Amino acid sequence: MAGKTIPQIAVLGSINLDIVIQCAHLPTPGETIIAESSREVSGGKGANQAVAAARLGADVSMIARVGNDDAGAGLLRNLQADGINTQAVLGTESADCDKNIASGIAVVMVEQSGENSIVVVPGANGIVSQKDIDHAAAIIQSCDLLLVQLEIPVETVLYACRIARKAGVRVILDPAPAPSAIPEHFFDVDLICPNQSEASALLGWSVETISDAQVATRELIERGAKNAIITMGKQGAVLCNGCEVSIFPPCPVETVDSTAAGDAFAGAIAVRWSEQNSLIEATRFACAAGALAASRAGAQPGMPTRNEVEQLMLQREKLSGAS
Ligand code: RIB
């Protein structure tokens, strides 16, 4: 990083305690299965993306809420251990909220193939409000990039995006989970980066193949996004930067747990794009970060460092040069 300015990134989003249940296969409706193990790790799409960006070299500020409980205190400590500024992470002690609201919890079931199913109980994430954003406005207005997802109220997210836009700050929206109804100005962002199933939900048709994703990225741009990337899991990713479409093959890694691969991708693209790189270069970097996260267990514990991502990219270059 010598000689480079360090990107200032604000992440607005959720913080969860993940209860990770490892099982042979994901249960089907009505089925009871016996798990192999369970453990608690720090998660939440917002917090995961903040940790990803911090480990990849950015100065990160988190805007969020946790409950006034042991889980909240531990989740906050973990963010701080990664050097993240948590000054705008509020608790539930203020007069205008219910002090009994707990920290967000996610039950994450991971099967042997690395595929997962997640159920989130929002808790304190559900009360992140426009007032909280006003409180953090200076952080948003002075950063290089605002990174948002949708595990907090969507109107709060859109309010923060408006503040960023007015201040000329870039916005990346990871539309996860996809909303059931799409509000006005939803697509009005510099980059939208859904995964395959979120893209299908947003567009109302099934994005299955790389050629579907090529059409879908263009459609996301027609709807208002300046740039669009669809991550396609084992098929790689597709970027449309407004004029041309580029296809990125997957990084060859063994998938252990794909839970936070999308979060690693979003955090990484935020960092690399903010370092004055093209979106094509930033997407290559993000694909490597996402692959590394998928090759490890747990959300935040699995987030790679800058050095690890650069090593994987080098290995890939060597391999493609040799073939
Ligand atoms: O994107 C993965 C995250 O989704 C998990 O960490 C879980 O907390 C849910 O928010």
Side-chain angles (χ1 to χ4, degrees):
M1 293 287 290
K4 281 186 192 146
T5 23
I6 297 178
Q8 309 290 311
I9 293 179
V11 181
L12 164 66
S14 57
I15 302 180
N16 292 334
L17 178 69
D18 287 0
I19 301 165
V20 183
I21 297 170
Q22 192 72 43
C23 39
H25 67 271
L26 300 175
T28 52
E31 187 187 16
T32 300
I33 59 167
I34 306 292
E36 287 160 5
S37 64
S38 82
R39 65 178 183 135
E40 292 183 353
V41 299
S42 299
K45 294 187 196 305
N48 296 345
Q49 294 182 13
V51 168
R55 290 202 190 149
L56 295 171
D59 264 353
V60 180
S61 296
M62 177 94 210
I63 305 164
R65 275 206 192 241
V66 289
N68 287 332
D69 44 24
D70 289 348
L75 291 163
L76 217 51
R77 268 197 307 277
N78 283 347
L79 291 177
Q80 289 158 353
D82 267 297
I84 294 165
N85 172 10
T86 57
Q87 178 203 327
V89 179
L90 305 177
T92 50
E93 67 284 348
S94 56
D96 60 346
C97 66
D98 177 352
K99 292 169 191 52
N100 296 320
I101 296 178
S103 293
I105 291 174
V107 177
V108 181
M109 282 179 285
V110 184
E111 66 170 21
Q112 248 151 30
S113 69
E115 279 307 323
N116 64 72
S117 283
I118 305 179
V119 181
V120 175
V121 185
N125 298 304
I127 58 161
V128 181
S129 66
Q130 298 188 6
K131 211 161 136 203
D132 298 352
I133 303 303
D134 288 338
H135 169 85
I139 292 177
I140 296 174
Q141 287 156 339
S142 62
C143 69
D144 297 314
L145 187 145
L146 173 69
L147 178 56
V148 296
Q149 335 69 35
L150 299 174
E151 277 185 341
I152 63 166
V154 66
E155 54 286 0
T156 304
V157 172
L158 295 181
Y159 183 70
C161 292
R162 277 203 296 281
I163 291 182
R165 253 196 319 276
K166 269 197 196 144
V169 168
R170 256 184 193 161
V171 176
I172 298 182
L173 167 63
D174 174 5
S180 46
I182 297 175
E184 220 189 328
H185 302 302
F186 182 80
F187 292 100
D188 205 355
V189 292
D190 296 283
L191 170 64
I192 190 164
C193 54
N195 67 17
Q196 191 174 349
S197 76
E198 290 145 8
S200 304
L202 292 177
L203 297 173
W205 56 274
S206 184
V207 178
E208 300 283 346
T209 62
I210 289 292
S211 57
D212 291 344
Q214 290 175 271
V215 176
T217 50
R218 284 196 189 281
E219 214 175 304
L220 289 168
I221 283 170
E222 277 160 25
R223 298 225 187 165
K226 289 202 183 78
N227 301 278
I229 299 176
I230 301 181
T231 53
M232 299 287 290
K234 293 208 165 87
Q235 297 183 78
V238 174
L239 158 73
C240 180
N241 63 7
C243 33
E244 48 176 11
V245 174
S246 314
I247 297 167
F248 299 82
C251 279
V253 292
E254 200 189 322
T255 303
V256 171
D257 175 4
S258 60
T259 304
D263 296 331
F265 185 96
I269 207 154
V271 174
R272 202 74 177 129
W273 201 23
S274 300
E275 289 172 348
Q276 313 295 326
N277 295 291
S278 70
L279 258 183
I280 293 185
E281 162 55 26
T283 307
R284 269 193 213 113
F285 183 78
C287 286
L292 283 167
S295 71
R296 298 162 178 179
Q300 286 166 39
M303 289 302 169
T305 62
R306 177 93 183 196
N307 188 39
E308 290 169 330
V309 174
E310 287 174 351
Q311 288 304 317
L312 180 61
M313 290 180 78
L314 268 178
Q315 269 173 31
R316 292 206 71 196
E317 272 166 38
K318 277 191 197 145
L319 278 178
S320 61
S323 61

